Amino acid sequence: MRLAKTMSAVAGGAALTLALAACGGSGAGGGGGADDAAGNGDEEIKVGVAMPTQTYERWIQDGNNVKKGLEENGYTVDLQFANDDIPTQTQQIDSMITEGVDALIIASIDGTALSSQLDAAAAANIPVIAYDRLINNSPNVDFYVTFDNYEVGVAQANSLLRGLGVLDKDGEETGEKGPFNVELFAGSADDNNSHFFYDGAMDTLKPYLDDGTLTVPSKQTDFDTVATQRWQQETAQKRMEDLLTSTYGGDTKLDGVLAPADPLSRGIITALQGAGMGPTIKDGLPVVTGQDAEIASIKLIDDGVQSSTIFKDTRNLADEAVNAATAFVEGEEPDANDTETYDNGEKVVPAHLLDIQPVFKDDIKPVLIDSDYYTADEVKKGQTD
Ligand code: BGC
């Protein structure tokens, strides 16, 4: 990036102060000014995009969509996936900073592990956009693009209640009081989102737990106990198997499971079917929720195996990240629609939140197929082309 290169050439505190003042004091890095993107056109704009893993389908799509959008702007992109390994991700970001990228878009693995990378980015005047997951404990996060994470949890809990028949399609209470036995799963504790998802879900389930409509027979309800380290499918499957052994050996029947992401839902379903339940909900498989509308889970929903998921249109998230990066590169501020919710321990990070949508079987066509997210054929196969 030009400004950073100029700064390193002249080095020194006074020059740094002047250079930052020239950026309009946005505190957001501010990019290299209006000439960067549209101006003389002879210097390359490069954006570093750090994604956590390729084991969850969504991050591959996120990475590819962000790259495509940036390239359509004429930017060069360094896209890296970190295999869910923190040192790999920190190294990748270090190299992007050394390369002199003009902006960073980061979906972190551990939201607290990137402070020194972000300090280095700020020193080089590189704006940082947290992608989907907030980066905590750093003043150097300039913008956050995400979905309404608390609402994801609310929608998961409402989907569980609807799957059990406590709520109807419109979210109205049916009068059904169970009692229903449920078990709860949360995401990785080092992912800031997991806390929002679980809080949204528990705030919604609380009245039903309090009035006895729902019971958690294992009594495992606190976040740390139900969290799933690094969002690993096998970990969720194993915990479900252990719960079945410890709590459901006798006459206790399990009715539903709050699962925070589709790969975990599938691990949980494998454990349930392995214990002889199902194979479908009609045959007695407990109601299992999800998140991300992964193609394998959409097929399971279509087949009556998984009850629901939450669709987050990652195409729109990628667009927002591209818009934010473009704004910074052009010396402008991105467009925030939330300046209150996301306190990262150092500051409230301005954010752009997108809407989410619960998906049951009836929603597959209108929500996913008609919007060209998947084709009908892909849903039938449970695989994208
Ligand atoms: C994302 C979810 C995803 C999970 C696991 C969360 O931060 O918001 O969409 O399922 O990570 O990758």
Side-chain angles (χ1 to χ4, degrees):
M1 85 184 271
R2 243 113 344 135
L3 186 53
K5 281 168 195 155
T6 313
M7 280 160 48
S8 57
V10 289
L16 181 70
T17 313
L18 281 174
L20 288 174
C23 273
S26 67
D35 282 352
D36 273 12
N40 35 25
D42 55 357
E43 277 196 72
E44 173 189 90
I45 302 289
K46 189 169 193 179
V47 180
V49 181
M51 290 285 150
T53 177
Q54 285 166 299
T55 58
Y56 271 58
E57 198 176 284
R58 68 154 293 183
W59 301 114
I60 302 174
Q61 288 164 356
D62 287 272
N64 291 340
N65 288 334
V66 172
K67 182 167 190 285
K68 191 164 149 249
L70 292 167
E71 286 174 348
E72 280 167 8
N73 264 359
Y75 301 165
T76 305
V77 179
D78 181 359
L79 167 64
Q80 302 289 337
F81 294 90
N83 202 20
D84 257 339
D85 181 54
I86 297 166
T88 303
Q89 185 164 61
T90 53
Q91 254 164 34
Q92 289 172 340
I93 296 169
D94 284 337
S95 320
M96 289 170 185
I97 295 169
T98 311
E99 274 169 42
V101 293
D102 294 82
L104 280 166
I105 297 174
I106 302 173
S108 57
I109 297 167
D110 179 332
T112 61
L114 295 176
S115 300
S116 67
Q117 279 64 38
L118 264 49
D119 288 349
N125 205 31
I126 301 170
V128 173
I129 299 156
Y131 187 90
D132 195 74
R133 299 172 171 174
L134 186 60
I135 302 168
N136 281 314
N137 304 341
S138 170
N140 301 315
V141 188
D142 298 306
F143 200 68
Y144 181 33
V145 292
T146 191
F147 294 89
D148 190 330
N149 293 305
Y150 182 85
E151 273 307 311
V152 169
V154 170
Q156 286 171 334
N158 282 330
S159 298
L160 178 65
L161 292 165
R162 177 173 152 191
L164 293 170
V166 176
L167 299 181
D168 67 16
K169 223 172 171 231
D170 304 317
E172 301 296 330
E173 290 186 345
T174 59
E176 172 64 69
K177 292 269 175 216
F180 295 108
N181 292 330
V182 298
E183 293 297 336
L184 311 169
F185 285 70
S188 195
D190 53 10
D191 178 349
N192 195 59
N193 288 350
S194 305
H195 303 267
F196 278 86
F197 300 152
Y198 199 62
D199 288 349
M202 290 310 273
D203 289 350
T204 308
L205 295 179
K206 187 166 186 307
Y208 300 94
L209 289 162
D210 287 349
D211 77 4
T213 304
L214 302 181
T215 310
V216 182
S218 71
K219 303 205 168 18
Q220 297 185 7
T221 57
D222 75 286
F223 177 85
D224 288 337
T225 311
V226 305
T228 312
Q229 174 70 353
R230 277 299 106 76
W231 292 94
Q232 280 192 358
Q233 179 165 346
E234 315 80 73
T235 307
Q237 181 173 336
K238 171 83 172 52
R239 177 163 173 260
M240 189 70 250
E241 285 163 0
D242 291 348
L243 285 169
L244 290 173
T245 312
S246 63
T247 312
Y248 296 90
D251 287 343
T252 315
K253 179 177 163 275
L254 177 64
D255 299 300
V257 181
L258 177 82
D262 287 342
L264 307 189
S265 318
R266 296 197 296 275
I268 291 163
I269 288 170
T270 303
L272 299 173
Q273 290 174 333
M277 300 177 198
T280 70
I281 298 170
K282 266 204 193 112
D283 309 312
L285 188 73
V287 166
V288 181
T289 64
Q291 173 172 206
D292 292 338
E294 286 200 353
I295 190 65
S297 284
I298 293 303
K299 178 172 169 48
L300 290 181
I301 292 171
D302 203 40
D303 292 346
V305 178
Q306 185 172 323
S307 174
S308 62
T309 188
I310 308 295
F311 175 48
K312 309 200 301 192
D313 195 334
T314 52
R315 296 170 298 191
N316 297 339
L317 189 64
D319 283 349
E320 286 309 325
V322 171
N323 290 343
T326 307
F328 281 131
V329 164
E330 294 185 352
E332 290 161 13
E333 289 296 317
D335 176 28
N337 63 8
D338 181 300
T339 50
E340 286 172 11
T341 311
Y342 288 99
D343 187 335
N344 79 345
E346 287 284 341
K347 69 188 231 195
V348 177
V349 182
H352 194 105
L353 308 190
L354 294 171
D355 290 338
I356 53 106
Q357 189 150 11
V359 170
F360 284 78
K361 185 178 166 81
D362 287 351
D363 306 306
I364 294 176
K365 182 169 181 323
V367 175
L368 298 174
I369 297 177
D370 293 351
S371 73
D372 295 326
Y373 201 73
Y374 296 131
T375 64
D377 193 46
E378 288 171 331
V379 171
K380 207 179 284 161
K381 286 189 303 201
Q383 230 179 322
T384 50
D385 292 331

